[in-house]
Amino acid sequence: MTAPGSAPASDARPSALFVCVHNAGRSQMAAGFLHHLSGGAVEVRSAGSMPADQVNPTAVEAMLEVGIDIRAEQPKVLTTEAVQASDVVITMGCGDVCPIFPGKRYEDWKLDDPAGQGIDAVRPIRDEIRARVLTLLDELGVTAVA
């Protein structure tokens, strides 16, 4: 039996949380890719321990180049609730410390930081994130959409 207002477990979508210190570059690009490539089949969250004031404009530009608009996103603070509500927690190689809960899957994607970098340096980071998100989708049993 499910609680009122909640979906049965069989209908639950997998969920992922991307964590980086400022939640302004890598984690935002990863969230954008996962949302786009899953076609909404995965619940996507991103957060940071010390969120920036805005998403990195170069990350926004790099994502627009591949048809994904993250301009409306805002960096968010990492909460225990966000970790608890996620099946997979992925840190973005920035040394962030997440609360650890049993039954959660944790990964650390070591990626260069796009902060302060030009578009030519951010494109390879973006492309690596896309490749890792495609692998994550496969591992979650979700077919990527074009």
Side-chain angles (χ1 to χ4, degrees):
M1 181 167 188
T2 58
S6 67
S10 62
D11 292 343
R13 296 181 295 164
S15 58
L17 169 65
F18 296 101
V19 180
C20 199
V21 174
H22 299 298
N23 187 222
R26 293 167 286 195
S27 54
Q28 291 287 352
M29 288 190 286
F33 272 126
L34 186 56
H35 178 74
H36 178 78
L37 294 170
S38 75
V42 177
E43 188 173 353
V44 182
R45 299 177 181 87
S46 70
S49 57
M50 298 184 335
D53 294 331
Q54 65 179 15
V55 175
N56 178 332
T58 309
V60 169
E61 179 183 353
M63 293 299 285
L64 284 170
E65 289 181 349
V66 295
I68 300 173
D69 188 352
I70 60 171
R71 288 179 288 195
E73 298 302 320
Q74 288 294 314
K76 296 167 273 313
V77 69
L78 177 64
T79 64
T80 300
E81 293 77 21
V83 176
Q84 287 177 313
S86 301
D87 299 314
V88 181
V89 179
I90 299 170
T91 57
M92 309 301 285
C94 44
D96 231 2
V97 176
C98 290
I100 303 294
F101 295 97
K104 302 291 177 198
R105 175 176 153 195
Y106 293 88
E107 289 185 26
D108 184 44
W109 292 358
K110 297 200 182 309
L111 298 159
D112 291 336
D113 190 348
Q117 303 292 324
I119 190 70
D120 290 336
V122 174
R123 285 182 185 119
I125 300 167
R126 173 202 64 202
D127 295 345
E128 175 67 18
I129 291 170
R130 182 182 188 279
R132 290 175 184 240
V133 166
L134 286 169
T135 299
L136 176 63
L137 281 170
D138 188 53
E139 292 168 353
L140 291 174
V142 175
T143 302
V145 297

